[in-house]
Amino acid sequence: MTATDLPFDPDALRAKYRAERDKRVRLDGNEQYLEVAGDYSDFVDDPYIESVLERSPLDDDTEVIVIGGGFGGLLAGARLRDAGISDIRLIEKGGDFGGTWYWNRYPGAMCDVESYVYLPLLEELDYVPTEKYVHAAEILEHSRAIGAHYDLYDNACFQTEVTGMRWDDDEARWIVSTNRGDEMRAKFVVMANGPLHRPKLPGIDGITDYTGHTFHTSRWDYHYTGGGPHGDLTGLRGKRVGIIGTGATAVQCVPHLGESADELYVFQRTPSSIDVRNNRPTDPDWAASLEPGWQTERMQNFNALVSGQPQPVDLVDDGWTDIIGKLLVRIQREGADADLSPEGIAASMELADFEKMEEIRRRAQEIVDDPDTAEALKPWYRQFCKRPCFHDDYLDTFNRPSVSLVDTDGRGIDRITAGGVVANGVEYEVDCIVFATGFEVGTDYSRRAGYEVTGRLGRTLTEKWADGMETLHGIVSHEFPNLFIMSPGQAGFTVSFPHLLGEQATHIAYIIDHALANDVDSVEVEPDAEAAWVQQVIDKSRVSLPFLESCTPGYYNNEGQPEKRAAQNSTYGGGSIEYFQILADWRADGSLPGLQLTR
Ligand code: NDP
């Protein structure tokens, strides 16, 4: 098919995407958001615990402390147990395991990536989720099941927030301080803080002036709304509700708010791309037919497809993998004329993306009755500029007479008053404001972690990383012996984040096991090995810069300023498949290249 046969004009789409991006780019980038601290700290109180657990401060010594009880911490704990390590303590600020699934219990919360791929350790726990995309409560339950299966509840400290940690070089121990007055010592520490766990608020005037009820989606207030994660928010009968933000979270909870509130205003700055969800219960015959190794095979198949590597079969076959399907159809259509050079594939990929997004825009047009609302709900950017969303009720919600989309044409809301939200110069009076404004991503690592780490030379991680992250493989950093970081920074990005966490957990457990088995006191990356990895990350980051630069702002592209993010703070530009291979080859070498071991 030639450009003239296409049912859309690529040049016109490129120009439209650019214009929509340009009107949203703001000089203040990440600075536009408010840190949830000080006057705003109520927004992060835990609404899910009955009472604060009393216990005495601890000053004991543990072999491995894992900070964070989400999938990262659980996977690290599981792999450490597999390696035969018994003395482990998980520290978690929530009241139980689950991490993001502990906090995000908003109505409609569910897995966005197929659950057979997304939920970790399914084969190990002999479990198959009940739906293709399971609801949040089941994911939280699975997190608890992992904790129980690997005995990670033993010695765990919940409702405990790390406030700082420092390396004691004489004792070769980390001293971990917490908000409970603990001064715990540990030989090794794994930081599995989670990348999206510090809620953020829009930096606009008036949030503290507002006299109605308000909360962030990651601390859903069911005491106020009534109902539960399944919806039926009876407390909202007779209430006018405003929700700010239309990202992946809002897309899942808006249908429930729309169903229950007397009036719902959805304040939109940029529409999300809403593809078909098509959720369905798990077929028991299929579940019974699964052969050992099925989950790894499925995870790898999915990851390859969403990384742009065609596969003989698409095991997941959903909206995530569909774009690759469209690319393959395009290449097949072109037959022998297909240009399979990297530039040729990139050009075909762009056309496949246009085709996909035209389909998404048509879907909004077909489902939403009011033409202006339908138009405002159309996303004008490439599919992976923002987190793609999948939902079968979100768009329909705007056909309810009680639901209004307040589109701000890229500007966002103006301010908040005592009585409501001002957008496009109009005040909307509401009884409750729900902030679906997401989580901190581009801020300093320590600010996001919520604590500072002081290394062997008395420098903090923030000081060391002032000009950008410095690690080997995103996992270990010079001056910070026996410390392991689980995060996407300088590591391979995966659509299904637990896949990356699983690979990092295996890697970390390998190093710790090796150190313990060989009576090693400390493991520290050598400066040369670290510098080489940083350079590799910088070199590879150039590949994705033009794409990110063309995207509408969001946390994927540092709020429209990808060039301002230190190139070395990006994920590994060679992609997750290459990154996983690098880790596997490094382990296969057996000599822990680049690490200095001290006895
Ligand atoms: P996002 O950061 O994706 O969305 C925040 C929203 O708030 C955006 O729509 C943003 O608009 C909007 N916003 C910010 N400031 C303003 C303002 N001043 N005025 C109006 N609107 C504003 O957060 P989410 O919580 O939705 O999602 C975060 C991530 O969590 C997802 O990307 C995904 O990775 C994960 N997630 C996963 C799910 C799953 O697997 N089940 C479900 C939900 C979330 P703009 O786009 O213009 O910046």
Side-chain angles (χ1 to χ4, degrees):
M1 189 181 276
T2 64
T4 45
D5 299 326
L6 294 169
F8 49 83
D9 176 351
D11 288 335
L13 283 179
R14 270 182 219 112
K16 172 75 174 162
Y17 286 11
R18 170 58 61 170
E20 291 289 330
R21 168 203 177 274
D22 287 351
K23 76 180 173 201
R24 287 179 170 81
V25 172
R26 304 164 46 133
L27 286 176
D28 53 2
N30 275 310
E31 299 306 314
Q32 68 181 285
Y33 297 107
L34 282 178
E35 185 179 3
V36 181
D39 284 353
Y40 307 98
S41 50
D42 290 356
F43 278 94
V44 285
D45 287 348
D46 186 343
Y48 312 124
I49 49 170
E50 298 290 317
S51 59
V52 177
L53 209 73
E54 293 302 328
R55 67 165 176 81
S56 309
L58 296 164
D59 61 358
D60 51 2
D61 201 307
T62 306
E63 204 122 67
V64 189
I65 282 185
V66 179
I67 303 174
F71 281 165
L74 288 166
L75 278 158
R79 294 304 175 220
L80 288 164
R81 287 275 193 249
D82 286 345
I85 296 163
S86 56
D87 191 13
I88 303 173
R89 167 173 295 149
L90 265 88
I91 304 179
E92 164 56 49
K93 72 178 169 188
D96 206 334
F97 291 129
T100 198
W101 298 101
Y102 175 86
W103 297 110
N104 287 281
R105 303 186 190 192
Y106 56 83
M110 66 197 294
C111 193
D112 229 5
V113 169
E114 196 202 59
S115 46
Y116 317 128
V117 165
Y118 179 82
L119 269 62
L121 303 167
L122 289 178
E123 287 195 71
E124 287 81 347
L125 270 75
D126 193 19
Y127 184 65
V128 180
T130 59
E131 297 172 282
K132 191 166 167 75
Y133 308 94
V134 279
H135 287 75
E138 188 171 329
I139 309 179
L140 183 55
E141 207 38 61
H142 184 64
S143 307
R144 293 180 177 135
I146 296 172
H149 183 86
Y150 288 97
D151 296 329
L152 297 171
Y153 280 98
D154 301 353
N155 209 23
C157 290
F158 294 107
Q159 298 182 24
T160 302
E161 223 173 324
V162 172
T163 50
M165 52 190 271
R166 65 190 157 79
W167 176 251
D168 179 338
D169 209 33
D170 297 334
E171 299 288 327
R173 285 289 183 279
W174 282 102
I175 317 285
V176 179
S177 316
T178 76
N179 64 342
R180 298 308 201 91
D182 305 310
E183 291 278 299
M184 306 165 182
R185 287 184 302 281
K187 181 161 181 173
F188 300 97
V189 173
V190 180
M191 291 164 72
N193 306 308
L196 291 169
H197 83 119
R198 289 220 12 126
K200 63 180 164 53
L201 298 171
I204 42 167
D205 293 336
I207 296 183
T208 48
D209 299 340
Y210 181 61
T211 55
H213 198 74
T214 179
F215 55 88
H216 188 274
T217 47
S218 64
R219 304 289 188 276
W220 195 272
D221 188 353
Y222 283 110
H223 293 297
Y224 179 80
T225 66
H230 54 282
D232 194 22
L233 309 173
T234 47
L236 297 183
R237 303 261 151 79
K239 298 266 178 8
R240 300 158 302 174
V241 176
I243 179 165
I244 301 172
T246 51
T249 299
V251 165
Q252 293 184 334
C253 65
V254 157
H256 295 286
L257 291 173
E259 189 179 71
S260 300
D262 259 27
E263 278 177 63
L264 175 68
Y265 297 101
V266 180
F267 295 94
Q268 173 178 276
R269 188 164 71 176
T270 310
S272 282
S273 138
I274 318 288
D275 205 348
V276 176
R277 172 76 302 169
N278 200 10
N279 195 11
R280 48 187 180 273
T282 299
D283 173 357
D285 293 337
W286 170 78
S289 74
L290 293 167
E291 300 281 342
W294 70 268
Q295 195 188 17
T296 305
E297 184 193 354
R298 202 171 181 92
M299 283 163 64
Q300 287 174 347
N301 177 264
F302 177 77
N303 194 39
L305 284 167
V306 293
S307 303
Q309 290 190 0
Q311 298 295 296
V313 56
D314 177 356
L315 293 172
V316 170
D317 189 20
D318 70 356
W320 286 104
T321 57
D322 185 44
I323 190 160
I324 302 300
K326 286 199 162 42
L327 170 73
L328 290 181
V329 168
R330 178 166 295 284
I331 288 173
Q332 272 160 12
R333 252 193 255 135
E334 288 168 3
D337 296 334
D339 177 356
L340 297 179
S341 67
E343 296 76 21
I345 293 197
S348 292
M349 200 73 172
E350 189 194 33
L351 292 181
D353 197 314
F354 285 148
E355 197 176 333
K356 176 83 221 174
M357 293 305 280
E358 285 284 283
E359 191 183 294
I360 298 287
R361 290 186 281 267
R362 245 187 339 268
R363 187 163 185 255
Q365 184 91 44
E366 282 162 10
I367 294 177
V368 179
D369 298 338
D370 175 60
D372 290 341
T373 306
E375 201 54 38
L377 285 164
K378 291 182 184 171
W380 297 99
Y381 46 81
R382 284 185 63 171
Q383 191 185 32
F384 292 111
C385 282
K386 279 187 175 284
R387 172 97 180 184
C389 300
F390 307 89
H391 212 286
D392 295 336
D393 304 314
Y394 176 73
L395 293 168
D396 274 310
T397 302
F398 294 95
N399 293 331
R400 288 179 180 271
S402 57
V403 177
S404 310
L405 178 73
V406 183
D407 179 49
T408 60
D409 196 23
R411 287 183 303 272
I413 58 169
D414 301 340
R415 61 182 188 282
I416 290 178
T417 62
V421 180
V422 181
N424 305 324
V426 177
E427 181 172 2
Y428 296 84
E429 289 198 357
V430 287
D431 302 299
C432 172
I433 299 176
V434 180
F435 287 98
T437 41
F439 304 87
E440 289 194 19
V441 176
T443 48
D444 275 350
Y445 182 81
S446 313
R447 168 169 152 176
R448 275 179 287 133
Y451 58 91
E452 196 53 271
V453 183
T454 307
R456 186 170 50 79
L457 302 179
R459 276 212 296 177
T460 64
L461 208 50
T462 305
E463 285 162 353
K464 185 182 173 199
W465 289 359
D467 296 325
M469 281 181 80
E470 291 178 348
T471 73
L472 173 64
H473 302 149
I475 295 177
V476 285
S477 191
H478 182 64
E479 292 179 33
F480 298 84
N482 293 6
L483 179 70
F484 302 90
I485 300 160
M486 298 180 81
S487 110
Q490 298 195 344
F493 173 82
T494 44
V495 165
S496 181
F497 186 48
H499 191 162
L500 167 65
L501 294 172
E503 298 285 340
Q504 290 186 326
T506 300
H507 198 72
I508 292 167
Y510 170 85
I511 299 173
I512 293 179
D513 181 39
H514 183 99
L516 289 173
N518 292 282
D519 291 326
V520 168
D521 288 324
S522 76
V523 181
E524 186 176 343
V525 59
E526 288 162 356
D528 289 356
E530 180 168 286
W533 181 253
V534 171
Q535 193 55 49
Q536 203 170 328
V537 171
I538 292 172
D539 294 345
K540 295 262 179 180
S541 78
R542 300 204 174 100
V543 179
S544 55
L545 202 57
F547 169 75
L548 292 173
E549 205 278 328
S550 74
C551 279
T552 197
Y555 76 83
Y556 278 18
N557 71 345
N558 197 32
E559 296 298 333
Q561 304 177 334
E563 72 295 343
K564 284 201 183 162
R565 171 167 54 199
Q568 69 206 65
N569 285 356
S570 53
T571 54
Y572 177 70
S576 57
I577 298 170
E578 198 173 298
Y579 172 78
F580 296 159
Q581 194 58 51
I582 290 170
L583 295 188
D585 291 346
W586 186 93
R587 292 193 299 274
D589 177 286
S591 70
L592 282 67
L595 293 191
Q596 191 175 20
L597 311 183
T598 309
R599 286 193 179 82

